[in-house]
DNA sequence: TACACTCGTTGTACCATACAACTAAAGTTC
DNA sequence: GAACTTTAGTTGTATGGTACAACGAGTGTA
């Protein structure tokens, strides 16, 4: 049904267009979901938590950000008391980042409202569709994980 | 297979996490794909073209941007000679935006490299998966189209 | 005619980001 | 083990994208 190259191109265009639209809207949506937390910081904090601690370099690689950007964001999170840095005893260059108790708490409350928004928005989807959509997104992002810096 | 509420929640979390990751990476990816065009401007230009002309207000609504932001972006596009404004004779407040010949050309060349990137990235996907993914994205975005400003 | 609404611009401030230069700690080579 | 190279992170600087607020001009309505 969708085997013609023509259809394939059309699907690619739709994917491209819709992903772009999503990315553009993401900022304002995020601002609505957690007006308190400095937006990007939230994302980084969530990733630190999800990984059960990580380095600034990992964050930079995962989100394709410059290390200077991450450095400042992490500094902001630390200033807010949401993140702690623990120097790695085996390598003095490395700082392992962990959420503080306050960080975990802030994350939980934000996560709750975020979940509610998603649950409402995707409420009419079947569980199978959700699972499939999640799988597609994982596959899509995984393909770009190691995309060359040029 | 995925009918338990538990599985549902997990899918929602994955979707949320992966969409966020995508949105965060989008900027650097876009910068790679068209270093010339001022990034956001490209998106707006593409939308103007896709709609065969539209107003600044439409752009603001579609991308959830402030009208001042759009105003400046459009001004930049006009300065670059990529967009023309035509006052609506029936309503002097309205400016209908259209790509110029140069705009269409710039868009085409950018679109080509963009398509190539997507084609490469999604090369291993079946046409059915692409179609399904496109459909999910459309559905997802449509659900947020009329999301309340609060 | 006055009031309210819509479309767009401009002033201002702020956040997120990149790039470059730098320090410090490890690792590598001879 | 001294000299180079690589890696982690910070800081200075510049820029781009954004929102909010105040405004101007055009349109509709009581």
């Amino acid at each position: 049904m969708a085997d013609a190259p023509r259809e394939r191109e059309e699907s690619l265009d739709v994917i491209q267009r819709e992903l772009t639209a999503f990315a553009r809207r993401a900022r304002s949506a995020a601002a609505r979901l957690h007006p308190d937390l400095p937006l990007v910081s939230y994302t980084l904090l969530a990733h630190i938590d999800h990984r059960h601690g990580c380095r600034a370099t990992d964050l930079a690689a995962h989100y394709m950000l410059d290390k200077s950007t991450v450095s400042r964001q992490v500094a902001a999170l630390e200033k807010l008391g949401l993140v702690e840095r623990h120097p790695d005893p085996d390598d003095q260059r490395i700082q392992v980042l962990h959420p503080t108790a306050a960080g975990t708490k802030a994350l939980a409350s934000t996560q709750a409202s975020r979940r509610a928004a998603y649950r409402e928005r995707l409420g009419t989807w079947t569980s199978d569709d959700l699972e499939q959509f999640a799988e597609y997104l994982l596959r899509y992002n995984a393909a770009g994980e190691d995309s060359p810096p040029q």
Side-chain angles (χ1 to χ4, degrees), chain A:
Chain A
M1 195 58 55
D3 285 312
R6 177 73 193 295
E7 304 257 345
R8 223 182 140 79
E9 287 293 307
E10 275 171 28
S11 294
L12 284 174
D13 280 359
V14 171
I15 290 168
Q16 177 185 322
R17 191 159 51 237
E18 295 303 314
L19 279 175
T20 302
F22 169 79
R24 290 256 131 278
R25 292 176 187 146
R27 181 178 297 224
S28 84
R32 264 187 291 130
L33 281 179
H34 36 79
D36 42 322
L37 225 52
L39 171 53
V40 175
S41 301
Y42 166 78
T43 307
L44 298 186
L45 179 56
H47 189 75
I48 292 169
D49 185 61
H50 184 241
R51 289 281 178 94
H52 302 295
C54 70
R55 299 172 302 162
T57 301
D58 300 332
L59 294 174
H62 191 249
Y63 293 113
M64 295 185 188
L65 293 170
D66 191 79
K67 51 188 180 162
S68 65
T69 303
V70 174
S71 175
R72 286 178 232 268
Q73 294 290 339
V74 169
L77 281 172
E78 193 186 26
K79 198 169 186 179
L80 288 169
L82 303 177
V83 156
E84 282 172 350
R85 321 189 195 206
H86 298 295
D88 184 334
D90 293 348
D91 186 338
Q92 290 298 115
R93 294 170 300 181
I94 296 177
Q95 302 176 348
V96 183
L97 306 172
H98 283 283
T100 61
T104 306
K105 195 176 160 190
L107 206 49
S109 94
T110 302
Q111 186 76 358
S113 69
R114 238 177 125 82
R115 270 218 190 95
Y118 273 83
R119 210 181 294 124
E120 201 250 344
R121 182 165 188 172
L122 299 173
T124 64
W125 292 45
T126 70
S127 296
D128 285 336
D129 279 344
L130 287 180
E131 197 181 344
Q132 185 65 50
F133 188 37
E135 197 245 303
Y136 283 149
L137 287 170
L138 279 169
R139 212 203 296 181
Y140 179 83
N141 276 342
E145 197 76 46
D146 56 344
S147 97
Q150 197 274 118

